[in-house]
Amino acid sequence: MLITGGKVFDGEGFVEREVAVKNGRFADSAAADALVVDAAGCYVIPGLIDVHFHGCKGHDFCEGTEEAFDVLARYEASCGVTAMCPATMTYPEGVLAPVMDCAGSYEEKSDGAALVGINMEGPYISPGNIGAQNPAYLHGPDVDMFGRLQDRSGGLIKLVDVAPEIPGALEFIEAVAPSVRVSIAHTKANYETARRAIEAGARHMTHLCNAMPPLHHREPGPIAAAFDCADVTPELIADGVHIHPAMVRLLFAAFGDDRMILISDSMMAAGMPDGTYTLGGQGVTVHGNRATLADGTIAGSNTDLMSCVRVAVKDMGIPLASAVKAASVNPARAIGIDDDRGGIQPGKIADAVVLDEDLNVRHVVLRGRLLS
């Protein structure tokens, strides 16, 4: 394949050049009989990587079935998300175990996003900032339990979430941080406790600003703790519902686009009409782009990662290059798959998206094949 005429993301900005694909990877040159894809007037970006979403098209990752995974993978790929690291909800080990089994044996489909990891969002979180997680299934941080689930997944768990103030959290972080990226999540932690978690090995922040104490000039909280540690990567849900555009701009300016990670945090209603759905065993009502529990708590998002990129750029004033870094380059690096993904350099897996001038998806290239 040869993609011609487009403005190609080079890791920092956009340059006009051709993109060659050979044997499923980006290459220095294409074969003489290569399929030519005309990208004139368009942007060519690496495939997006969503490291935090729960479901879409009426299915949830925690269903733990090949059918559900196929639906997720195909929908994500159709939106330009070529690699996925879906998130679990707060459930007991007996529910999570078969999800891990299925993920560990899952084989990617030719028209579906690759399953490159699992984000274990629960159950080691705080009852004081539960968000849309189910409090009935909370569990204290448990190294042995995590190890069993990681073994069943075949090592696919790339992120595990912890509220650092709950008993045993710091010891858990110290124990597992050498083998998995630990994320501070659903927490009431103050600045000092969050710093201790980072010193213990935490290097990620789950949906920054959501389900955690806000910034305050005398009680700066976990957001400022993350800012003070240059190797911590914060997630943001830029769907226009979870965070005000001014706060998104502030956080990009503060942390820099080398650290920010855009996520969708989508639930099963993404790609579906308004109605009533479930998330983590709880009912969720969806109206437009807003999903809520019965008490009004925002319950995940009703959008996809490419739509979040579009909102970040068009409605929030984030430069396109910064948004692409946050939705592809940075998540790839955070979960340790950047040797193969998150860029259009020769040698990387040929995942790419061609966007028109309005940032709508015109073509998706998935592992070197033209998907659309």
Side-chain angles (χ1 to χ4, degrees):
M1 184 183 301
L2 189 65
I3 305 173
T4 65
K7 290 168 282 190
V8 180
F9 180 74
D10 67 355
E12 294 293 336
F14 291 88
V15 296
E16 293 187 6
R17 69 172 178 88
E18 295 181 336
V19 176
V21 175
K22 189 181 294 184
N23 298 323
R25 293 187 178 256
F26 295 116
D28 292 315
S29 61
D33 59 348
L35 171 68
V36 176
V37 176
D38 182 6
C42 296
Y43 300 99
V44 183
I45 66 171
L48 304 190
I49 302 166
D50 199 345
V51 298
H52 188 155
F53 81 105
H54 298 277
C56 53
K57 296 297 284 186
H59 287 274
D60 188 281
F61 179 63
C62 282
E63 292 172 33
T65 66
E66 183 174 3
E67 176 189 5
F69 292 3
D70 283 350
V71 170
L72 270 57
R74 288 178 172 130
Y75 179 77
E76 294 297 297
S78 74
C79 299
V81 179
T82 55
M84 62 181 192
C85 178
T88 61
M89 291 292 290
T90 292
Y91 278 118
E93 184 175 1
V95 174
L96 294 174
V99 178
M100 302 302 172
D101 291 342
C102 188
S105 62
Y106 182 70
E107 296 183 3
E108 65 188 31
K109 304 304 187 291
S110 62
D111 57 349
L115 179 63
V116 296
I118 297 167
N119 181 339
M120 188 172 156
E121 189 175 3
Y124 311 139
I125 58 176
S126 169
N129 228 335
I130 197 73
Q133 302 283 332
N134 195 328
Y137 302 129
L138 290 176
H139 196 292
D142 186 328
V143 174
D144 291 337
M145 172 186 171
F146 173 76
R148 291 191 296 270
L149 292 172
Q150 181 70 293
D151 287 345
R152 295 182 76 145
S153 77
L156 265 181
I157 302 174
K158 303 297 185 184
L159 289 162
V160 61
D161 295 12
V162 183
E165 73 275 19
I166 63 178
L170 296 181
E171 294 82 0
F172 175 86
I173 294 169
E174 288 179 346
V176 305
S179 62
V180 67
R181 195 169 188 86
V182 178
S183 187
I184 295 173
H186 289 272
T187 179
K188 299 287 284 186
N190 58 19
Y191 175 88
E192 290 76 18
T193 301
R195 280 300 300 263
R196 286 195 290 272
I198 293 168
E199 290 162 5
R203 290 295 180 270
H204 199 80
M205 298 288 284
T206 295
H207 42 53
L208 196 71
C209 298
N210 296 114
M212 65 180 59
L215 278 169
H216 186 277
H217 58 287
R218 285 190 297 273
E219 297 290 340
I223 299 173
F227 170 77
D228 275 347
C229 302
D231 54 353
V232 173
T233 48
E235 301 173 351
L236 278 183
I237 311 170
D239 63 347
V241 173
H242 281 78
I243 307 177
H244 192 280
M247 182 60 78
V248 174
R249 290 190 291 272
L250 184 153
L251 292 169
F252 262 88
F255 284 88
D257 64 10
D258 286 329
R259 295 173 64 185
M260 298 306 305
I261 293 179
L262 290 178
I263 62 167
S264 71
D265 199 17
S266 69
M267 46 90 67
M268 65 165 58
M272 299 290 285
D274 288 357
T276 301
Y277 299 88
T278 61
L279 181 65
Q282 301 184 91
V284 177
T285 300
V286 172
H287 292 292
N289 203 29
R290 181 178 291 268
T292 57
L293 300 180
D295 63 2
T297 300
I298 296 176
S301 84
N302 189 32
T303 191
D304 60 86
L305 184 57
M306 188 64 77
S307 294
C308 289
V309 167
R310 195 176 299 116
V311 168
V313 174
K314 302 187 73 166
D315 299 339
M316 298 177 169
I318 303 302
L320 178 58
S322 295
V324 172
K325 289 172 73 172
S328 184
V329 179
N330 299 346
R333 186 170 60 245
I335 64 171
I337 60 171
D338 49 318
D339 284 346
D340 280 330
R341 303 179 190 272
I344 307 183
Q345 296 88 353
K348 289 186 184 288
I349 292 171
D351 288 339
V353 186
V354 178
L355 301 175
D356 67 21
E357 61 183 7
D358 291 322
L359 307 186
N360 297 309
V361 175
R362 178 174 289 185
H363 299 294
V364 176
V365 177
L366 185 65
R367 298 185 290 276
R369 296 178 59 252
L370 187 64
L371 183 64
S372 62

